Amino acid sequence: MLAESRLVTLMGPGGVGKTRIALRTAAAVRADFADGLCVAELTALRDPELLPGALCTLLGVPPQSAAEPLDALVEHVRERRLLLILDTCEHLVDACAMLADIVLGEAPGVTVLATSRQPLDVPGEHVFPVPPLPLDTAVELFAQRAAAVIAGFTVTDGNRADVETVCRRLDGIPLAIELATVRLRAVGLKHLVALLEERFRVLAGGRRTEPARHQTLRTAIGWSHELCTDAERLLWARMSVFAGSFDLSAVREVCRDTSLSADEAVETLIGLVDKSVVTRLDEPADPDDPDGREECTRYRLLDTIREYGAEWLASLGAEEETACLERHLVYFRALVQRLENRWCSSEQVELFRAVNREHANVRAALGYACRRAGGASEALAFAVSLGHYWAFGSYFSEGRRWLTRCLEQAPDPVPQRADALRLLCYYAVRQADATAARAVIQECRAIAQQLGSKRLLAYTDHYSGSAHCSGGETATGFAFFDEAVEQFRRLGDRSALAVTLMDYSCFQAMDGDPHRALALADESLTYLAEHPGESWTRGYLGFAQGLAHWRVGDIAAASSATRAATRQKYRMADKFGVEAGLGILAWLAADQGRYDRTAWLVGAAEELGEDMHACLLGLRVLTGAYDGARAEAARKLGAVRFERLRRRGAELPVREAVDLAEADTGTPGTVPSARAERRTCDTLTRREREVAELVGQGLSNREIAERLVISKRTVDAHVEHILGKLGCSSRTEIARTLAELGL
């Protein structure tokens, strides 16, 4: 169906296997999409307005853009050939339908594969109903799952009839079968059949309006629910407030009260994992985590199981449901507040990563805060406390959306409103939206003056300086910065002073006095000396120093400062900061005539986000330097060599790219063959891979045609495709490329 239609929707009830089929299909057709796959798991996303932004994040669209996320998404995929998988659309069906309709109309190379309990109803949609498993396959699944529960279990002539009875009664729905086999820990197969028959008789009269198979799934889940203890049912209900995954600490705090202690909650969770109600996720250590975080155990409820728990929670009464949502809000707001309180400290990186792992839960908590009756001011305060988190993660579009929503609900001229407005100004500056930045900072100044707050007036001058400098009014901007620096000195706010000096230094380095920029950076660093682990501010100070040295022609000093800054941005997991750092290093290498280094740095940088101009704030002095260096390297090296080195840089893991950049490496060694082989296999189809290997052995096209029993014209076409995909200009180069890759 994907070969015939650009929109295919796998439709069926929860638990029937839509997601697994989608992922298997994606793996099978991966080679047909030159720009790869994007899998968007939408279960944890509750706000339809956040859908375009979430996809931008998955696709690596730089969030610095001031464009609406949907516009940025369309622009990003317009010329690409990729497969977009929208998994679990039913709760966002209108938003998914609109997005699919627009993307398919604007991006002819994009194909959408959706999973949903209902069709998207978009023109051109092909719906594939996902049926339950046929009996033989259902029995096979039962046998596999039962063997995992009871060692040595097999389906024999003696028990096949009972197994088939269970599979028929569960309509062949995979999730229902998996839930049923867990009961074999407690009862024998014949007892399992008897219990299941009894349950269907009991439930025969309920929910007649639902499709039969949905009733079957609810029956299976309800059966598991009834076999849980009272404590397990209560914990199941309370865990339904989590969005996405969660950890033990969150369970202890969010799900406990006088009826269920924190320790009891943990013990009860273990029981739910054993019963396959809760899925355990052992997330491996991130190879690109600079601090080498150890494996992290988290937990998740499948969507249908979470929904069942949410219904049960609602049935327990409004007081119980509200209390659980309040605990969820309190817990995740406290997590955010710890980062906000310690953002300028040696704990910065660790706290940011802790909040970032809970992005979905933080978003859910803020959404609940916005819905609470009479809680507008508290929601605004929560949003303001996320200010540094959104900045560290470059979540500028999301931050602007939430702040705007909270400001609309809380119009009073209070300090939190002024803080929200200054944050809006900063995010607009980072997205090169100087007009919006100046508009919101004017209201911020009016509130600060009305309140007579010296702190707010100092922040207002700081962000007014940024807004004017980003809009090209540097003289006015520098005057605001001077005033902000003096005010923060009088207030004794060392962390605010460090950041103000950092921003001032950056703008002086880009479009002012480079010597002044270096002095400002040095002063900022003195205020950070007591926090050696702070990375975010230090990273930008390093970029300011590097740009200032570059402006005065000291390329060696510029490269040294930028290499150190890129390492700091890597520690912060700031992907766009790393990309900017690699991009700056690319043009510094070109200034030194080191074009091999320029080429692979370009590849490593563009592999991260692909929009270098956005990472460089759209400033011509920076984007012009990058584009010029890229073009000069391609001209000096020749198109073939430049492309080969660029691809080699793109192959590097982020950690290795940063290590090589920091080590001032000219030309990286051959990319590890296993990684290269994966990428080559992703690029070439199976038949192209066969043809390439025979070309590498020295066979002519006619000899290859005879070997593979295909026409010579077909081989000719395959060879042309291989040359294009591998960036080779001759058959000899195909052989050499395969040899370099260890193939």
Side-chain angles (χ1 to χ4, degrees), residues 101-116:
D101 197 21
I102 292 173
V103 168
L104 293 173
E106 297 288 337
V110 175
T111 296
V112 177
L113 178 60
T115 73
S116 180

Side-chain angles (χ1 to χ4, degrees), residues 509-558:
M510 290 183 286
D511 199 20
D513 180 353
H515 299 289
R516 174 73 168 142
L518 291 171
L520 292 166
D522 287 342
E523 184 179 356
S524 179
L525 286 169
T526 63
Y527 296 111
L528 297 174
E530 60 196 84
H531 304 300
E534 196 281 336
S535 289
W536 184 73
T537 313
R538 276 188 171 82
Y540 284 117
L541 285 169
F543 289 153
Q545 291 170 320
L547 292 171
H549 287 304
W550 169 63
R551 290 271 310 282
V552 299
D554 190 345
I555 305 303

Side-chain angles (χ1 to χ4, degrees), residues 74-131:
V74 170
E75 187 61 31
H76 181 80
V77 302
R78 193 185 303 278
E79 303 298 329
R80 287 173 166 76
R81 179 165 176 77
L82 63 85
L83 178 63
L84 176 59
I85 301 173
L86 302 177
D87 185 35
T88 314
C89 296
E90 56 269 4
H91 63 300
L92 300 170
V93 66
D94 291 337
C96 289
M98 181 194 73
L99 184 140
D101 197 21
I102 292 173
V103 168
L104 293 173
E106 297 288 337
V110 175
T111 296
V112 177
L113 178 60
T115 73
S116 180
R117 298 185 194 179
Q118 62 186 99
L120 302 187
D121 287 331
V122 173
E125 177 185 28
H126 284 202
V127 176
F128 179 78
V130 179

Side-chain angles (χ1 to χ4, degrees), residues 448-480:
Q449 291 172 338
Q450 180 180 344
L451 297 174
S453 171
K454 294 180 180 180
R455 181 189 71 87
L456 288 175
L457 285 170
Y459 275 119
T460 301
D461 284 333
H462 172 180
Y463 291 112
S464 294
S466 296
H468 284 280
C469 286
S470 66
E473 302 174 13
T474 52
T476 303
F478 291 164
F480 276 120

Side-chain angles (χ1 to χ4, degrees), residues 24 104 125 160 193 207 321 351 372 390 514 540 542 547 580 620 622 641 688 696:
R24 287 291 184 92
L104 293 173
E125 177 185 28
R160 178 174 292 276
V193 174
R207 293 187 176 270
E321 184 177 24
L351 290 172
R372 295 162 79 211
W390 284 325
Y540 284 117
L547 292 171
R620 288 186 180 180
L622 306 183
R641 180 169 177 78
E688 287 169 350

Side-chain angles (χ1 to χ4, degrees), residues 383-498:
V384 168
S385 70
L386 281 158
H388 283 100
Y389 170 66
W390 284 325
F392 293 170
S394 297
Y395 300 124
F396 304 124
S397 294
E398 181 171 347
R400 291 177 76 175
R401 185 178 299 278
W402 280 114
L403 288 167
T404 300
R405 176 178 174 180
C406 291
L407 285 167
E408 289 172 351
Q409 295 178 343
D412 295 336
V414 295
Q416 289 87 352
R417 183 173 182 85
D419 283 328
L421 290 166
R422 68 177 173 83
L423 290 172
L424 274 178
C425 174
Y426 173 72
Y427 300 156
V429 167
R430 288 298 305 270
Q431 295 186 314
D433 191 355
T435 301
R438 285 195 293 268
V440 293
I441 205 63
Q442 287 175 1
E443 184 185 349
C444 180
R445 182 177 298 280
I447 295 174
Q449 291 172 338
Q450 180 180 344
L451 297 174
S453 171
K454 294 180 180 180
R455 181 189 71 87
L456 288 175
L457 285 170
Y459 275 119
T460 301
D461 284 333
H462 172 180
Y463 291 112
S464 294
S466 296
H468 284 280
C469 286
S470 66
E473 302 174 13
T474 52
T476 303
F478 291 164
F480 276 120
F481 271 119
D482 286 331
E483 182 61 27
V485 168
E486 288 305 314
Q487 290 187 71
F488 280 127
R489 281 190 181 130
R490 288 194 294 269
L491 290 169
D493 191 335
R494 296 170 65 85
S495 59
L497 183 54

Side-chain angles (χ1 to χ4, degrees), residues 44 242-247 281 283 298-300 357-358 360-361:
F242 290 117
S245 64
F246 47 90
D247 62 15
L281 308 172
E283 298 180 355
R298 296 179 66 82
Y299 303 89
R300 182 172 184 170
R357 285 194 293 272
E358 303 292 356
N361 278 303

